[in-house]
Amino acid sequence: MAQSAGDVIVVRGNGGLDGEVCIGGAKNSVLKLMAACLLAEGRHVLANVPDISDVSVMCELLEAMGVSITRTDHCLVIDVPAEINTEAPYHLVERMRASIVVLGPLLARFGAARVALPGGDDFGPRPIDMHLRALESLGATFRTSHGDISGTAEALTGAEIVLEYPSVGATENVLMAAVRAKGRTRIVNPAREPEIGDLVSFLNQMGAKARWAGNGLAIEGVEQLSPAGQHASSPRSTAGGIGTSARTEVGGTPADGDGYRVISDRIETATYLAAVGMCGGSVFLRHAVGDHMTMLIRKLTEMGMHIVADAEGIRATATQRLTSADVATLPYPGLATDYKPFLVAMLTTASGVGIVTENIFTGRFRYIDELRRMGADIRTEGHHAVVRGAERLSGAPVRAHDIRAGAALVVAGLAAEGETEVAGATHIDRGYDDLTGKLAGLGAIITRR
Ligand code: EPU
């Protein structure tokens, strides 16, 4: 297939990185906050919105439903009308499977939703059985026809919902439905990612009554919600999953009242941490929240990086070749599966051998063939990879198959000898706001063509 213009990132190894980079709002939070806006008629304002293509797709999806959106300089003004079209068409859901999170809000507010079923992807199968079972516990019924899932709910009623696995999407969908259900809902074993904490804060600003309680989420349904992000006097939120401490710059309404501020992207942060780890140097990651990525910081410290987090951000320094470590992905607060491509890239040039175990998405090893093309010594066996560190990778033409894998190939290219061409850069655009420009600002030799 012919490559579209601008679909290739060209990067050349150039030694250490130095300077400061600003971390943007979290992709995996903002998409859910946008869906949550469907819960209330009126004008919602979101700030610290990353300029990424997944946000554009979510805008298209909401607009197809009749929502009006104005997007200016990292801000979204979202006007939700009284009546909307409750259908999410395949051509949009197919481009972004996170679209499925409109299901809960639509059922809660309109009692009906028709959403195209997302297919599998490069990670393997991506079922939504837990989303549906949890929503059924609140009283929704579903039927599948012609590739769409249609849900109806005369009235949602609070219930105890036990998630057998802490699925991020299922937690979000049922949380957004439960805030408007009649009575009390308890979600046992919910996902605890910081982005879930941000959604809880956002919903509470809309008037919901949701809180962390013991090993779950307790929600008292309310009849009406109102738009968030416009109340200058609202208390600042303390978003973050269970076990994260209150900080001032995490999600919430800024003091000037110009929108609900989306929390910082911990996966974008991990990308720059990996770049410093592989290339060496010292970089300040402004707005990065150390409390949201404690396990990763511990792992990178074990590998030889020096990382200090404070209220302004994270300073990361690497002065020597990293040492290998074993890595296993787990739901939060464990090491996120989204960090894994970066950790694998780092291990390819660390001294020693690291064993990487993927416990979330069985198919998430596809980029390893691309790293091998750069000289990486990696053997995979089921959901394990054994990575033997080489002194240096060598630049090569490679292809990005998904957002994080693509960014990891760019990071690997920064530390490789010679030139690396990463094709499929539009995958990277789904989740990165100016990766090329930000890395160039740190001294990397990187262009897009
Ligand atoms: N699962 C089921 N049934 C379900 C739901 C999930 O079997 O009904 C399984 C999945 O197949 C997978 C595991 O549970 O094996 C985890 O899925 P989860 O629902 O937790 O993930 P998600 O909501 O689909 C989000 C992020 C992913 C991130 C995962 C895990 C968004 C938009 N996506 O996906 O992020 O990897 O949580 O933390 O929030 C990315 O940003 O590039 C990305 C892929």
Side-chain angles (χ1 to χ4, degrees), residues 25-26 28-30 32-33 46-48 175 192-205 212 237-241 250-252 260-264 292:
N28 290 348
S29 186
V30 69
K32 325 307 170 62
L33 304 188
L46 291 173
N48 198 30
L175 168 64
R192 294 161 168 77
E193 273 71 1
E195 295 76 25
I196 305 277
D198 205 22
L199 180 59
V200 169
S201 296
F202 185 70
L203 291 168
N204 285 343
Q205 277 208 10
W212 298 101
S237 115
T238 53
V250 288
Y260 180 95
R261 190 178 163 83
V262 179
I263 57 166
S264 288
H292 290 175

PDB file of all heavy atoms in Angstrom, residues 25-26 28-30 32-33 46-48 175 192-205 212 237-241 250-252 260-264 292:
ATOM      1  N   GLY A  25      -2.002  16.168  28.209  1.00  0.00           N
ATOM      2  CA  GLY A  25      -3.115  15.472  28.866  1.00  0.00           C
ATOM      3  C   GLY A  25      -3.187  14.017  28.414  1.00  0.00           C
ATOM      4  O   GLY A  25      -2.761  13.667  27.312  1.00  0.00           O
ATOM      5  N   ALA A  26      -3.739  13.172  29.269  1.00  0.00           N
ATOM      6  CA  ALA A  26      -3.740  11.733  29.020  1.00  0.00           C
ATOM      7  C   ALA A  26      -4.777  11.334  27.980  1.00  0.00           C
ATOM      8  O   ALA A  26      -5.979  11.567  28.169  1.00  0.00           O
ATOM      9  CB  ALA A  26      -3.994  10.975  30.315  1.00  0.00           C
ATOM     10  N   ASN A  28      -5.872   8.362  27.382  1.00  0.00           N
ATOM     11  CA  ASN A  28      -6.827   7.385  27.907  1.00  0.00           C
ATOM     12  C   ASN A  28      -7.739   7.943  28.982  1.00  0.00           C
ATOM     13  O   ASN A  28      -8.620   7.248  29.483  1.00  0.00           O
ATOM     14  CB  ASN A  28      -6.087   6.125  28.383  1.00  0.00           C
ATOM     15  CG  ASN A  28      -5.533   5.350  27.198  1.00  0.00           C
ATOM     16  OD1 ASN A  28      -5.890   5.632  26.052  1.00  0.00           O
ATOM     17  ND2 ASN A  28      -4.665   4.396  27.468  1.00  0.00           N
ATOM     18  N   SER A  29      -7.529   9.211  29.334  1.00  0.00           N
ATOM     19  CA  SER A  29      -8.494   9.885  30.187  1.00  0.00           C
ATOM     20  C   SER A  29      -9.431  10.751  29.346  1.00  0.00           C
ATOM     21  O   SER A  29     -10.643  10.649  29.448  1.00  0.00           O
ATOM     22  CB  SER A  29      -7.776  10.753  31.230  1.00  0.00           C
ATOM     23  OG  SER A  29      -8.728  11.270  32.103  1.00  0.00           O
ATOM     24  N   VAL A  30      -8.863  11.590  28.491  1.00  0.00           N
ATOM     25  CA  VAL A  30      -9.697  12.575  27.798  1.00  0.00           C
ATOM     26  C   VAL A  30     -10.789  11.908  26.965  1.00  0.00           C
ATOM     27  O   VAL A  30     -11.932  12.405  26.904  1.00  0.00           O
ATOM     28  CB  VAL A  30      -8.841  13.549  26.949  1.00  0.00           C
ATOM     29  CG1 VAL A  30      -8.206  12.877  25.744  1.00  0.00           C
ATOM     30  CG2 VAL A  30      -9.673  14.727  26.487  1.00  0.00           C
ATOM     31  N   LYS A  32     -12.476   9.283  27.587  1.00  0.00           N
ATOM     32  CA  LYS A  32     -13.572   8.850  28.454  1.00  0.00           C
ATOM     33  C   LYS A  32     -14.324  10.061  29.016  1.00  0.00           C
ATOM     34  O   LYS A  32     -15.542  10.020  29.195  1.00  0.00           O
ATOM     35  CB  LYS A  32     -13.059   7.972  29.604  1.00  0.00           C
ATOM     36  CG  LYS A  32     -11.904   7.055  29.274  1.00  0.00           C
ATOM     37  CD  LYS A  32     -12.151   6.165  28.050  1.00  0.00           C
ATOM     38  CE  LYS A  32     -10.896   5.437  27.581  1.00  0.00           C
ATOM     39  NZ  LYS A  32     -10.281   4.514  28.502  1.00  0.00           N
ATOM     40  N   LEU A  33     -13.579  11.152  29.291  1.00  0.00           N
ATOM     41  CA  LEU A  33     -14.249  12.359  29.784  1.00  0.00           C
ATOM     42  C   LEU A  33     -15.168  12.917  28.691  1.00  0.00           C
ATOM     43  O   LEU A  33     -16.275  13.407  28.972  1.00  0.00           O
ATOM     44  CB  LEU A  33     -13.225  13.421  30.217  1.00  0.00           C
ATOM     45  CG  LEU A  33     -12.191  13.012  31.282  1.00  0.00           C
ATOM     46  CD1 LEU A  33     -11.383  14.228  31.738  1.00  0.00           C
ATOM     47  CD2 LEU A  33     -12.824  12.332  32.474  1.00  0.00           C
ATOM     48  N   LEU A  46     -13.215  21.184  28.509  1.00  0.00           N
ATOM     49  CA  LEU A  46     -12.059  20.377  28.913  1.00  0.00           C
ATOM     50  C   LEU A  46     -10.778  21.117  28.552  1.00  0.00           C
ATOM     51  O   LEU A  46     -10.644  21.644  27.435  1.00  0.00           O
ATOM     52  CB  LEU A  46     -12.072  19.027  28.188  1.00  0.00           C
ATOM     53  CG  LEU A  46     -13.178  18.040  28.585  1.00  0.00           C
ATOM     54  CD1 LEU A  46     -13.162  16.822  27.657  1.00  0.00           C
ATOM     55  CD2 LEU A  46     -13.005  17.605  30.035  1.00  0.00           C
ATOM     56  N   ALA A  47      -9.843  21.155  29.483  1.00  0.00           N
ATOM     57  CA  ALA A  47      -8.549  21.793  29.253  1.00  0.00           C
ATOM     58  C   ALA A  47      -7.447  20.740  29.318  1.00  0.00           C
ATOM     59  O   ALA A  47      -7.671  19.633  29.820  1.00  0.00           O
ATOM     60  CB  ALA A  47      -8.311  22.869  30.308  1.00  0.00           C
ATOM     61  N   ASN A  48      -6.259  21.111  28.827  1.00  0.00           N
ATOM     62  CA  ASN A  48      -5.110  20.193  28.761  1.00  0.00           C
ATOM     63  C   ASN A  48      -5.439  18.976  27.877  1.00  0.00           C
ATOM     64  O   ASN A  48      -5.091  17.843  28.200  1.00  0.00           O
ATOM     65  CB  ASN A  48      -4.704  19.735  30.171  1.00  0.00           C
ATOM     66  CG  ASN A  48      -3.291  19.168  30.206  1.00  0.00           C
ATOM     67  OD1 ASN A  48      -2.434  19.572  29.432  1.00  0.00           O
ATOM     68  ND2 ASN A  48      -3.052  18.204  31.080  1.00  0.00           N
ATOM     69  N   LEU A 175     -19.351   2.443  35.401  1.00  0.00           N
ATOM     70  CA  LEU A 175     -19.317   3.627  36.282  1.00  0.00           C
ATOM     71  C   LEU A 175     -20.191   4.747  35.696  1.00  0.00           C
ATOM     72  O   LEU A 175     -21.011   5.358  36.396  1.00  0.00           O
ATOM     73  CB  LEU A 175     -17.859   4.091  36.431  1.00  0.00           C
ATOM     74  CG  LEU A 175     -17.592   5.446  37.063  1.00  0.00           C
ATOM     75  CD1 LEU A 175     -18.054   5.462  38.527  1.00  0.00           C
ATOM     76  CD2 LEU A 175     -16.092   5.790  37.001  1.00  0.00           C
ATOM     77  N   ARG A 192      -8.084   0.410  38.611  1.00  0.00           N
ATOM     78  CA  ARG A 192      -7.689   1.495  39.522  1.00  0.00           C
ATOM     79  C   ARG A 192      -6.730   2.480  38.855  1.00  0.00           C
ATOM     80  O   ARG A 192      -6.031   3.225  39.533  1.00  0.00           O
ATOM     81  CB  ARG A 192      -7.007   0.900  40.751  1.00  0.00           C
ATOM     82  CG  ARG A 192      -7.916   0.066  41.618  1.00  0.00           C
ATOM     83  CD  ARG A 192      -7.084  -0.846  42.522  1.00  0.00           C
ATOM     84  NE  ARG A 192      -7.882  -1.458  43.567  1.00  0.00           N
ATOM     85  CZ  ARG A 192      -8.704  -2.483  43.388  1.00  0.00           C
ATOM     86  NH1 ARG A 192      -8.845  -3.006  42.175  1.00  0.00           N
ATOM     87  NH2 ARG A 192      -9.378  -2.988  44.396  1.00  0.00           N
ATOM     88  N   GLU A 193      -6.657   2.446  37.538  1.00  0.00           N
ATOM     89  CA  GLU A 193      -5.726   3.329  36.830  1.00  0.00           C
ATOM     90  C   GLU A 193      -6.006   4.797  37.170  1.00  0.00           C
ATOM     91  O   GLU A 193      -7.161   5.158  37.451  1.00  0.00           O
ATOM     92  CB  GLU A 193      -5.893   3.134  35.313  1.00  0.00           C
ATOM     93  CG  GLU A 193      -5.065   2.012  34.696  1.00  0.00           C
ATOM     94  CD  GLU A 193      -5.528   0.613  35.060  1.00  0.00           C
ATOM     95  OE1 GLU A 193      -6.514   0.468  35.796  1.00  0.00           O
ATOM     96  OE2 GLU A 193      -4.881  -0.343  34.614  1.00  0.00           O
ATOM     97  N   PRO A 194      -4.984   5.647  37.125  1.00  0.00           N
ATOM     98  CA  PRO A 194      -5.201   7.079  37.385  1.00  0.00           C
ATOM     99  C   PRO A 194      -6.282   7.682  36.494  1.00  0.00           C
ATOM    100  O   PRO A 194      -6.982   8.614  36.893  1.00  0.00           O
ATOM    101  CB  PRO A 194      -3.829   7.707  37.092  1.00  0.00           C
ATOM    102  CG  PRO A 194      -2.856   6.598  37.317  1.00  0.00           C
ATOM    103  CD  PRO A 194      -3.556   5.331  36.896  1.00  0.00           C
ATOM    104  N   GLU A 195      -6.425   7.137  35.277  1.00  0.00           N
ATOM    105  CA  GLU A 195      -7.451   7.679  34.367  1.00  0.00           C
ATOM    106  C   GLU A 195      -8.856   7.378  34.892  1.00  0.00           C
ATOM    107  O   GLU A 195      -9.795   8.129  34.618  1.00  0.00           O
ATOM    108  CB  GLU A 195      -7.268   7.081  32.958  1.00  0.00           C
ATOM    109  CG  GLU A 195      -5.952   7.474  32.278  1.00  0.00           C
ATOM    110  CD  GLU A 195      -4.733   6.732  32.804  1.00  0.00           C
ATOM    111  OE1 GLU A 195      -4.893   5.605  33.330  1.00  0.00           O
ATOM    112  OE2 GLU A 195      -3.620   7.273  32.707  1.00  0.00           O
ATOM    113  N   ILE A 196      -9.010   6.276  35.635  1.00  0.00           N
ATOM    114  CA  ILE A 196     -10.312   5.992  36.252  1.00  0.00           C
ATOM    115  C   ILE A 196     -10.547   7.027  37.357  1.00  0.00           C
ATOM    116  O   ILE A 196     -11.662   7.545  37.517  1.00  0.00           O
ATOM    117  CB  ILE A 196     -10.352   4.570  36.864  1.00  0.00           C
ATOM    118  CG1 ILE A 196      -9.979   3.503  35.828  1.00  0.00           C
ATOM    119  CG2 ILE A 196     -11.712   4.299  37.520  1.00  0.00           C
ATOM    120  CD1 ILE A 196     -11.067   3.035  34.931  1.00  0.00           C
ATOM    121  N   GLY A 197      -9.486   7.336  38.103  1.00  0.00           N
ATOM    122  CA  GLY A 197      -9.604   8.368  39.141  1.00  0.00           C
ATOM    123  C   GLY A 197     -10.021   9.698  38.542  1.00  0.00           C
ATOM    124  O   GLY A 197     -10.828  10.437  39.117  1.00  0.00           O
ATOM    125  N   ASP A 198      -9.472  10.009  37.358  1.00  0.00           N
ATOM    126  CA  ASP A 198      -9.816  11.277  36.696  1.00  0.00           C
ATOM    127  C   ASP A 198     -11.294  11.270  36.295  1.00  0.00           C
ATOM    128  O   ASP A 198     -11.998  12.282  36.430  1.00  0.00           O
ATOM    129  CB  ASP A 198      -8.927  11.462  35.461  1.00  0.00           C
ATOM    130  CG  ASP A 198      -8.763  12.925  35.073  1.00  0.00           C
ATOM    131  OD1 ASP A 198      -8.969  13.808  35.943  1.00  0.00           O
ATOM    132  OD2 ASP A 198      -8.424  13.196  33.909  1.00  0.00           O
ATOM    133  N   LEU A 199     -11.763  10.125  35.816  1.00  0.00           N
ATOM    134  CA  LEU A 199     -13.178  10.024  35.421  1.00  0.00           C
ATOM    135  C   LEU A 199     -14.085  10.184  36.649  1.00  0.00           C
ATOM    136  O   LEU A 199     -15.113  10.873  36.583  1.00  0.00           O
ATOM    137  CB  LEU A 199     -13.430   8.671  34.730  1.00  0.00           C
ATOM    138  CG  LEU A 199     -14.851   8.392  34.249  1.00  0.00           C
ATOM    139  CD1 LEU A 199     -15.313   9.449  33.244  1.00  0.00           C
ATOM    140  CD2 LEU A 199     -14.944   6.996  33.609  1.00  0.00           C
ATOM    141  N   VAL A 200     -13.694   9.580  37.762  1.00  0.00           N
ATOM    142  CA  VAL A 200     -14.485   9.734  38.997  1.00  0.00           C
ATOM    143  C   VAL A 200     -14.549  11.220  39.379  1.00  0.00           C
ATOM    144  O   VAL A 200     -15.619  11.755  39.680  1.00  0.00           O
ATOM    145  CB  VAL A 200     -13.875   8.891  40.153  1.00  0.00           C
ATOM    146  CG1 VAL A 200     -14.514   9.248  41.485  1.00  0.00           C
ATOM    147  CG2 VAL A 200     -14.033   7.399  39.862  1.00  0.00           C
ATOM    148  N   SER A 201     -13.420  11.907  39.335  1.00  0.00           N
ATOM    149  CA  SER A 201     -13.394  13.342  39.679  1.00  0.00           C
ATOM    150  C   SER A 201     -14.295  14.152  38.760  1.00  0.00           C
ATOM    151  O   SER A 201     -15.035  15.032  39.194  1.00  0.00           O
ATOM    152  CB  SER A 201     -11.982  13.915  39.543  1.00  0.00           C
ATOM    153  OG  SER A 201     -11.145  13.319  40.452  1.00  0.00           O
ATOM    154  N   PHE A 202     -14.195  13.841  37.461  1.00  0.00           N
ATOM    155  CA  PHE A 202     -14.981  14.578  36.464  1.00  0.00           C
ATOM    156  C   PHE A 202     -16.473  14.359  36.696  1.00  0.00           C
ATOM    157  O   PHE A 202     -17.264  15.308  36.718  1.00  0.00           O
ATOM    158  CB  PHE A 202     -14.561  14.104  35.071  1.00  0.00           C
ATOM    159  CG  PHE A 202     -15.195  14.862  33.936  1.00  0.00           C
ATOM    160  CD1 PHE A 202     -14.852  16.182  33.679  1.00  0.00           C
ATOM    161  CD2 PHE A 202     -16.118  14.251  33.091  1.00  0.00           C
ATOM    162  CE1 PHE A 202     -15.422  16.880  32.626  1.00  0.00           C
ATOM    163  CE2 PHE A 202     -16.688  14.936  32.035  1.00  0.00           C
ATOM    164  CZ  PHE A 202     -16.343  16.252  31.797  1.00  0.00           C
ATOM    165  N   LEU A 203     -16.849  13.088  36.899  1.00  0.00           N
ATOM    166  CA  LEU A 203     -18.266  12.776  37.123  1.00  0.00           C
ATOM    167  C   LEU A 203     -18.758  13.461  38.397  1.00  0.00           C
ATOM    168  O   LEU A 203     -19.878  13.996  38.442  1.00  0.00           O
ATOM    169  CB  LEU A 203     -18.458  11.260  37.218  1.00  0.00           C
ATOM    170  CG  LEU A 203     -18.246  10.482  35.902  1.00  0.00           C
ATOM    171  CD1 LEU A 203     -18.170   8.976  36.170  1.00  0.00           C
ATOM    172  CD2 LEU A 203     -19.364  10.792  34.897  1.00  0.00           C
ATOM    173  N   ASN A 204     -17.926  13.468  39.424  1.00  0.00           N
ATOM    174  CA  ASN A 204     -18.346  14.118  40.677  1.00  0.00           C
ATOM    175  C   ASN A 204     -18.523  15.628  40.477  1.00  0.00           C
ATOM    176  O   ASN A 204     -19.403  16.240  41.071  1.00  0.00           O
ATOM    177  CB  ASN A 204     -17.362  13.807  41.802  1.00  0.00           C
ATOM    178  CG  ASN A 204     -17.534  12.377  42.310  1.00  0.00           C
ATOM    179  OD1 ASN A 204     -18.563  11.738  42.056  1.00  0.00           O
ATOM    180  ND2 ASN A 204     -16.544  11.869  43.020  1.00  0.00           N
ATOM    181  N   GLN A 205     -17.695  16.211  39.620  1.00  0.00           N
ATOM    182  CA  GLN A 205     -17.905  17.638  39.314  1.00  0.00           C
ATOM    183  C   GLN A 205     -19.214  17.860  38.574  1.00  0.00           C
ATOM    184  O   GLN A 205     -19.794  18.931  38.615  1.00  0.00           O
ATOM    185  CB  GLN A 205     -16.752  18.171  38.473  1.00  0.00           C
ATOM    186  CG  GLN A 205     -15.575  18.566  39.320  1.00  0.00           C
ATOM    187  CD  GLN A 205     -14.748  19.658  38.669  1.00  0.00           C
ATOM    188  OE1 GLN A 205     -15.141  20.257  37.666  1.00  0.00           O
ATOM    189  NE2 GLN A 205     -13.609  19.933  39.256  1.00  0.00           N
ATOM    190  N   TRP A 212     -14.156   6.006  46.047  1.00  0.00           N
ATOM    191  CA  TRP A 212     -13.430   4.766  46.286  1.00  0.00           C
ATOM    192  C   TRP A 212     -13.815   4.287  47.672  1.00  0.00           C
ATOM    193  O   TRP A 212     -13.856   5.079  48.617  1.00  0.00           O
ATOM    194  CB  TRP A 212     -11.925   4.991  46.223  1.00  0.00           C
ATOM    195  CG  TRP A 212     -11.450   5.462  44.879  1.00  0.00           C
ATOM    196  CD1 TRP A 212     -11.140   6.740  44.534  1.00  0.00           C
ATOM    197  CD2 TRP A 212     -11.246   4.667  43.709  1.00  0.00           C
ATOM    198  NE1 TRP A 212     -10.754   6.797  43.209  1.00  0.00           N
ATOM    199  CE2 TRP A 212     -10.799   5.528  42.690  1.00  0.00           C
ATOM    200  CE3 TRP A 212     -11.389   3.314  43.431  1.00  0.00           C
ATOM    201  CZ2 TRP A 212     -10.508   5.087  41.410  1.00  0.00           C
ATOM    202  CZ3 TRP A 212     -11.088   2.872  42.154  1.00  0.00           C
ATOM    203  CH2 TRP A 212     -10.658   3.756  41.151  1.00  0.00           C
ATOM    204  N   SER A 237      -9.715  18.980  42.039  1.00  0.00           N
ATOM    205  CA  SER A 237      -9.860  17.536  42.173  1.00  0.00           C
ATOM    206  C   SER A 237      -8.540  16.894  42.582  1.00  0.00           C
ATOM    207  O   SER A 237      -7.479  17.471  42.443  1.00  0.00           O
ATOM    208  CB  SER A 237     -10.334  16.961  40.858  1.00  0.00           C
ATOM    209  OG  SER A 237      -9.375  16.129  40.318  1.00  0.00           O
ATOM    210  N   THR A 238      -8.614  15.710  43.096  1.00  0.00           N
ATOM    211  CA  THR A 238      -7.413  14.962  43.440  1.00  0.00           C
ATOM    212  C   THR A 238      -7.456  13.637  42.714  1.00  0.00           C
ATOM    213  O   THR A 238      -7.533  12.591  43.310  1.00  0.00           O
ATOM    214  CB  THR A 238      -7.317  14.736  44.948  1.00  0.00           C
ATOM    215  OG1 THR A 238      -8.538  14.146  45.373  1.00  0.00           O
ATOM    216  CG2 THR A 238      -7.092  16.023  45.688  1.00  0.00           C
ATOM    217  N   ALA A 239      -7.480  13.729  41.384  1.00  0.00           N
ATOM    218  CA  ALA A 239      -7.598  12.512  40.582  1.00  0.00           C
ATOM    219  C   ALA A 239      -6.432  11.586  40.826  1.00  0.00           C
ATOM    220  O   ALA A 239      -5.358  11.995  41.207  1.00  0.00           O
ATOM    221  CB  ALA A 239      -7.657  12.872  39.109  1.00  0.00           C
ATOM    222  N   GLY A 240      -6.644  10.340  40.548  1.00  0.00           N
ATOM    223  CA  GLY A 240      -5.603   9.322  40.710  1.00  0.00           C
ATOM    224  C   GLY A 240      -6.285   8.070  41.163  1.00  0.00           C
ATOM    225  O   GLY A 240      -7.326   8.121  41.800  1.00  0.00           O
ATOM    226  N   GLY A 241      -5.726   6.940  40.801  1.00  0.00           N
ATOM    227  CA  GLY A 241      -6.317   5.677  41.219  1.00  0.00           C
ATOM    228  C   GLY A 241      -6.155   5.502  42.704  1.00  0.00           C
ATOM    229  O   GLY A 241      -5.568   6.333  43.388  1.00  0.00           O
ATOM    230  N   VAL A 250      -2.804  17.566  39.282  1.00  0.00           N
ATOM    231  CA  VAL A 250      -3.521  16.496  38.592  1.00  0.00           C
ATOM    232  C   VAL A 250      -4.918  16.978  38.247  1.00  0.00           C
ATOM    233  O   VAL A 250      -5.257  18.129  38.470  1.00  0.00           O
ATOM    234  CB  VAL A 250      -3.527  15.180  39.412  1.00  0.00           C
ATOM    235  CG1 VAL A 250      -2.159  14.566  39.409  1.00  0.00           C
ATOM    236  CG2 VAL A 250      -4.027  15.382  40.785  1.00  0.00           C
ATOM    237  N   GLY A 251      -5.760  16.119  37.697  1.00  0.00           N
ATOM    238  CA  GLY A 251      -7.008  16.543  37.076  1.00  0.00           C
ATOM    239  C   GLY A 251      -7.846  17.484  37.920  1.00  0.00           C
ATOM    240  O   GLY A 251      -7.709  17.560  39.122  1.00  0.00           O
ATOM    241  N   GLY A 252      -8.741  18.196  37.272  1.00  0.00           N
ATOM    242  CA  GLY A 252      -9.646  19.072  38.002  1.00  0.00           C
ATOM    243  C   GLY A 252      -9.825  20.400  37.321  1.00  0.00           C
ATOM    244  O   GLY A 252      -9.373  20.610  36.200  1.00  0.00           O
ATOM    245  N   TYR A 260     -12.178  21.789  32.807  1.00  0.00           N
ATOM    246  CA  TYR A 260     -11.693  20.691  33.649  1.00  0.00           C
ATOM    247  C   TYR A 260     -10.367  20.243  33.072  1.00  0.00           C
ATOM    248  O   TYR A 260     -10.269  19.908  31.889  1.00  0.00           O
ATOM    249  CB  TYR A 260     -12.701  19.532  33.643  1.00  0.00           C
ATOM    250  CG  TYR A 260     -12.248  18.383  34.489  1.00  0.00           C
ATOM    251  CD1 TYR A 260     -12.658  18.256  35.811  1.00  0.00           C
ATOM    252  CD2 TYR A 260     -11.372  17.430  33.983  1.00  0.00           C
ATOM    253  CE1 TYR A 260     -12.215  17.204  36.601  1.00  0.00           C
ATOM    254  CE2 TYR A 260     -10.918  16.381  34.759  1.00  0.00           C
ATOM    255  CZ  TYR A 260     -11.345  16.278  36.072  1.00  0.00           C
ATOM    256  OH  TYR A 260     -10.883  15.245  36.853  1.00  0.00           O
ATOM    257  N   ARG A 261      -9.327  20.221  33.887  1.00  0.00           N
ATOM    258  CA  ARG A 261      -7.984  19.908  33.408  1.00  0.00           C
ATOM    259  C   ARG A 261      -7.741  18.396  33.427  1.00  0.00           C
ATOM    260  O   ARG A 261      -7.768  17.768  34.488  1.00  0.00           O
ATOM    261  CB  ARG A 261      -6.951  20.630  34.279  1.00  0.00           C
ATOM    262  CG  ARG A 261      -5.572  20.573  33.727  1.00  0.00           C
ATOM    263  CD  ARG A 261      -4.561  21.345  34.573  1.00  0.00           C
ATOM    264  NE  ARG A 261      -3.228  20.906  34.219  1.00  0.00           N
ATOM    265  CZ  ARG A 261      -2.540  21.363  33.176  1.00  0.00           C
ATOM    266  NH1 ARG A 261      -3.048  22.312  32.437  1.00  0.00           N
ATOM    267  NH2 ARG A 261      -1.339  20.881  32.887  1.00  0.00           N
ATOM    268  N   VAL A 262      -7.509  17.841  32.241  1.00  0.00           N
ATOM    269  CA  VAL A 262      -7.258  16.398  32.103  1.00  0.00           C
ATOM    270  C   VAL A 262      -5.907  16.077  32.760  1.00  0.00           C
ATOM    271  O   VAL A 262      -4.957  16.850  32.634  1.00  0.00           O
ATOM    272  CB  VAL A 262      -7.207  16.017  30.595  1.00  0.00           C
ATOM    273  CG1 VAL A 262      -6.929  14.535  30.413  1.00  0.00           C
ATOM    274  CG2 VAL A 262      -8.491  16.434  29.892  1.00  0.00           C
ATOM    275  N   ILE A 263      -5.803  14.939  33.428  1.00  0.00           N
ATOM    276  CA  ILE A 263      -4.531  14.569  34.066  1.00  0.00           C
ATOM    277  C   ILE A 263      -3.449  14.327  33.014  1.00  0.00           C
ATOM    278  O   ILE A 263      -3.744  14.093  31.841  1.00  0.00           O
ATOM    279  CB  ILE A 263      -4.643  13.303  34.963  1.00  0.00           C
ATOM    280  CG1 ILE A 263      -5.160  12.093  34.171  1.00  0.00           C
ATOM    281  CG2 ILE A 263      -5.456  13.573  36.200  1.00  0.00           C
ATOM    282  CD1 ILE A 263      -4.971  10.766  34.912  1.00  0.00           C
ATOM    283  N   SER A 264      -2.206  14.351  33.467  1.00  0.00           N
ATOM    284  CA  SER A 264      -1.064  14.178  32.559  1.00  0.00           C
ATOM    285  C   SER A 264      -0.975  12.739  32.064  1.00  0.00           C
ATOM    286  O   SER A 264      -1.375  11.802  32.757  1.00  0.00           O
ATOM    287  CB  SER A 264       0.235  14.504  33.285  1.00  0.00           C
ATOM    288  OG  SER A 264       0.314  15.868  33.486  1.00  0.00           O
ATOM    289  N   HIS A 292       1.645   8.625  39.768  1.00  0.00           N
ATOM    290  CA  HIS A 292       0.858   7.786  38.868  1.00  0.00           C
ATOM    291  C   HIS A 292       1.680   6.667  38.235  1.00  0.00           C
ATOM    292  O   HIS A 292       1.131   5.861  37.479  1.00  0.00           O
ATOM    293  CB  HIS A 292       0.248   8.632  37.737  1.00  0.00           C
ATOM    294  CG  HIS A 292      -0.847   9.545  38.212  1.00  0.00           C
ATOM    295  ND1 HIS A 292      -1.463  10.458  37.396  1.00  0.00           N
ATOM    296  CD2 HIS A 292      -1.431   9.673  39.422  1.00  0.00           C
ATOM    297  CE1 HIS A 292      -2.384  11.119  38.085  1.00  0.00           C
ATOM    298  NE2 HIS A 292      -2.369  10.660  39.317  1.00  0.00           N
TER     299      HIS A 292
END
